[in-house]
Each structure stands twice: as C-alpha cells, then as structure tokens.
C-alpha cells in the first residue's frame, strides 16, 4: 500500500490530557478511507497495515490514539487489538520489537465528524512502554481481531512521509 498514510498519535508517558506529551502525530484526514488490518479468530490473519514513523527526540511511548472503522456496516464486533512495533529493514517492516494485545475494543468512541455516516471510531490504549530512539525509523501495526464478515480498517491520515506497507 505505498503512498498511503495511516493516522496515529504517539503520546509520551505521564500525559495528563489527550495532547499532553505528544511525541508524534499523523492526524486523521477525515476522508473516510481505511485499509483493512484485521485477524479473524476462525480463519487467521486477513490483512496487516504498517505505518512508519521517526521521532525527533528519544521517548518512551506509553499511549496510542488512532482512528478506524468498519468497512461495510456502521458497527461490528472487535474482541481485541494487537499493537506491534517493528524495526525497519531497508524501508519496510523488519523484526518485531514490542507486541501488546489489548482485549476489548480499545475504548472505542464514535467519531462525530466522520463524513460518511458514522462508521469511524476513535481508539486509545495506555501502558505500552515502547522505547524509541531519536532518528530511528520504526513501523507500527494495529490489527483488530473480529469476524471477517464486516472487516475493520485503519484510517488514513495527514502528514508523515506518505509511506506505509
């Protein structure tokens, strides 16, 4: 999926409000475009989207906020999210550095500004503890676990370098 950008916020540990301590941001572009990144419990992996990022200063990433939604119907069932941080390998995801499985729907709330009719959600997790070194490119994947009948996708964003995998 070259030239696509995925919206993410990485928050520095100890943040007391949503935007306190933001160390990286690619805001949701509000176009209603998402790319499937999901595992079906009955059949395994369906698709994984990865987005690259590089921090200007070293930081411990503890919180993550992102936007996504269901590709066919306004609602669906998510039982977990897998959040993975990957090393870079010649411009694509390399070795797995940190993995976390978040049970439930990652604090999903309906995004009130979705242009296409209400199937966009804001998600957030805390307690990730990923140490990122300044100037090093990393890759992030966010994969939902849910039934394939109504696939979930990670929303596109603005900013960044226009690269994803």
């Amino acid at each position: 999926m070259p030239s696509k950008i995925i919206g993410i916020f990485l928050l520095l540990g100890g943040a007391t409000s949503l935007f306190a301590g933001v160390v990286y941001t690619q805001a949701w572009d509000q176009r209603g475009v998402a790319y499937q990144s999901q595992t079906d419990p009955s059949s395994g992996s369906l698709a994984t989207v990865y987005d690259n990022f590089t921090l200007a200063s070293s930081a411990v990433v503890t919180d993550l906020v992102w936007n996504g939604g269901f590709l066919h119907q306004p609602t669906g069932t998510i039982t977990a999210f897998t959040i993975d941080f990957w090393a870079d390998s010649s411009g694509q995801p390399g070795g797995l550095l940190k993995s976390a499985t978040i049970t439930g729907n990652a604090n999903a709330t309906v995004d009130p500004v979705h242009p296409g009719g209400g199937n966009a959600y804001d998600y957030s997790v805390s307690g990730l503890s990923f140490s990122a070194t300044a100037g090093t490119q990393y890759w992030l994947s966010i994969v939902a676990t849910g039934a394939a009948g109504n696939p979930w996708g990670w929303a596109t964003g603005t900013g960044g370098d226009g690269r994803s995998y």
Side-chain angles (χ1 to χ4, degrees), residues 35-41 44-49 66 69-70 77-83 102 104-106 123 141-148 150-154:
Y35 292 96
Q36 186 175 3
S37 192
Q38 180 176 348
T39 296
D40 181 339
S45 182
L46 299 172
T48 301
V49 172
W66 71 96
F70 299 94
T77 301
I78 299 296
T79 58
F81 281 95
T82 301
I83 310 294
I102 311 302
N105 68 1
Y123 301 90
S141 64
I142 300 173
V143 179
T145 301
N150 188 19
W152 182 87
W154 195 8

Side-chain angles (χ1 to χ4, degrees), residues 68-163:
F70 299 94
L71 303 181
H72 300 307
Q73 302 162 1
T75 61
T77 301
I78 299 296
T79 58
F81 281 95
T82 301
I83 310 294
D84 290 335
F85 293 90
W86 304 84
D88 181 70
S89 178
S90 301
Q92 63 185 15
L96 180 63
L97 300 172
K98 176 81 175 182
S99 183
T101 299
I102 311 302
T103 57
N105 68 1
N107 304 304
T109 57
V110 174
D111 192 301
V113 297
H114 184 262
N119 64 340
Y121 294 82
D122 295 322
Y123 301 90
S124 64
V125 297
S126 298
L128 296 174
S129 191
F130 173 69
S131 295
T133 302
T136 301
Q137 179 166 273
Y138 297 99
W139 292 85
L140 171 70
S141 64
I142 300 173
V143 179
T145 301
N150 188 19
W152 182 87
W154 195 8
T156 57
T158 61
D161 64 2
R163 294 175 52 211

Side-chain angles (χ1 to χ4, degrees), residues 3-5 28-35 113-116 155-158:
S3 300
K4 301 299 177 197
I5 305 169
W28 177 42
D29 64 15
Q30 301 182 15
R31 293 184 310 127
V33 176
Y35 292 96
V113 297
H114 184 262
T156 57
T158 61

Side-chain angles (χ1 to χ4, degrees), residues 57-72:
S57 300
S58 294
V60 176
V61 178
T62 61
D63 302 328
L64 178 64
V65 177
W66 71 96
N67 187 278
F70 299 94
L71 303 181
H72 300 307

